[in-house]
Amino acid sequence: QSNPQIAVSVKISYLEVYNEQFFDLLQENTKLQDLAVMDDVNGNVQVKGLSLKTATSEEEALNLLFEGETNRAIAEHQMNKNSTRSHCVFTVHLDIRSRIESNEKVVRSKLNLVDLAGSERVKNTGSIGKTLQEANYINKSLTFLEQVVIALSSKSRDHIPFRQSKLTNVLRDSLGGNCKTRL
């Protein structure tokens, strides 16, 4: 329902984690980017240099998703002709504020939709060269994600190893912050 007293802004970002490097899937030249994970002034995770595109409708948001998909790293191996070689994070950023009270607090929300590349048994896929290197990065980052989830579920654990990989670092506030996570 539409409430004329509330203004909602929706922005979209689409991040690829390929071989432990970040790429902005909504930029034309994804290979010439300097993206880095950092905390904003409120301690929330953000990716410096990642583009945010405004979406005024569901159709515009879906078009951004499809646009980003065309820029993903894909390769062929023995078990899959179109194997994604990276993890991706499609994020919907929401800002909700009052149109009437200018000094009222802005509510910020973030929804991360994560597409994880599947772990690979190298002996089954027959990967060599570049696809072998990609498989190693995929498997390593999935192992680090598993370690973070195990650490978060352990009540006696003091340290959570978020910074072991770029994937777990960028998902830090979604995994262990003020959030709800569904797998």
Side-chain angles (χ1 to χ4, degrees):
Q1 291 182 2
S2 179
N3 184 342
Q5 297 178 347
I6 294 179
V8 178
S9 109
V10 178
K11 295 188 187 233
I12 304 291
S13 65
Y14 204 177
L15 180 69
E16 178 178 47
V17 183
Y18 172 74
N19 290 353
E20 276 302 295
Q21 293 182 314
F22 288 135
F23 297 98
D24 187 339
L25 294 176
L26 298 179
Q27 289 292 352
E28 301 234 351
N29 193 348
T30 61
K31 304 304 176 203
L32 299 174
Q33 299 171 356
D34 186 26
L35 304 176
V37 176
M38 48 191 321
D39 294 343
D40 67 12
V41 293
N42 298 319
N44 299 312
V45 174
Q46 69 178 28
V47 179
K48 179 182 167 228
L50 184 65
S51 64
L52 288 172
K53 306 280 184 167
T54 301
T56 59
S57 68
E58 179 183 346
E59 182 180 359
E60 284 182 13
L62 285 172
N63 285 339
L64 290 168
L65 174 68
F66 299 140
E67 176 186 326
E69 282 296 303
T70 63
N71 293 325
R72 285 195 69 178
I74 296 174
E76 181 178 340
H77 57 69
Q78 288 179 356
M79 298 181 72
N80 188 346
K81 280 185 158 185
N82 295 309
S83 175
T84 55
R85 312 309 297 158
S86 62
H87 309 299
C88 287
V89 183
F90 181 83
T91 306
V92 180
H93 305 262
L94 295 170
D95 283 359
I96 303 167
R97 61 176 44 107
S98 171
R99 291 180 196 254
I100 299 166
E101 294 290 328
S102 62
N103 62 351
E104 195 170 314
K105 184 172 95 172
V106 176
V107 176
R108 289 197 162 89
S109 297
K110 182 166 65 169
L111 173 67
N112 286 325
L113 302 173
V114 182
D115 179 16
L116 298 174
S119 64
E120 297 194 7
R121 296 203 183 271
V122 175
K123 68 178 184 178
N124 294 346
T125 61
S127 296
I128 57 172
K130 184 178 177 185
T131 55
L132 176 60
Q133 179 188 23
E134 292 167 341
N136 287 334
Y137 276 109
I138 290 167
N139 291 340
K140 199 182 296 185
S141 66
L142 290 172
T143 299
F144 291 143
L145 178 60
E146 176 187 27
Q147 290 172 1
V148 166
V149 171
I150 290 169
L152 286 168
S153 65
S154 173
K155 300 286 184 214
S156 62
R157 189 81 181 247
D158 290 340
H159 172 71
I160 310 298
F162 289 116
R163 290 187 169 90
Q164 282 187 315
S165 80
K166 289 196 174 187
L167 177 67
T168 55
N169 198 12
V170 79
L171 294 176
R172 185 172 12 119
D173 59 355
S174 297
L175 293 169
N178 180 15
C179 66
K180 294 186 185 211
T181 303
R182 299 286 182 256
L183 300 175

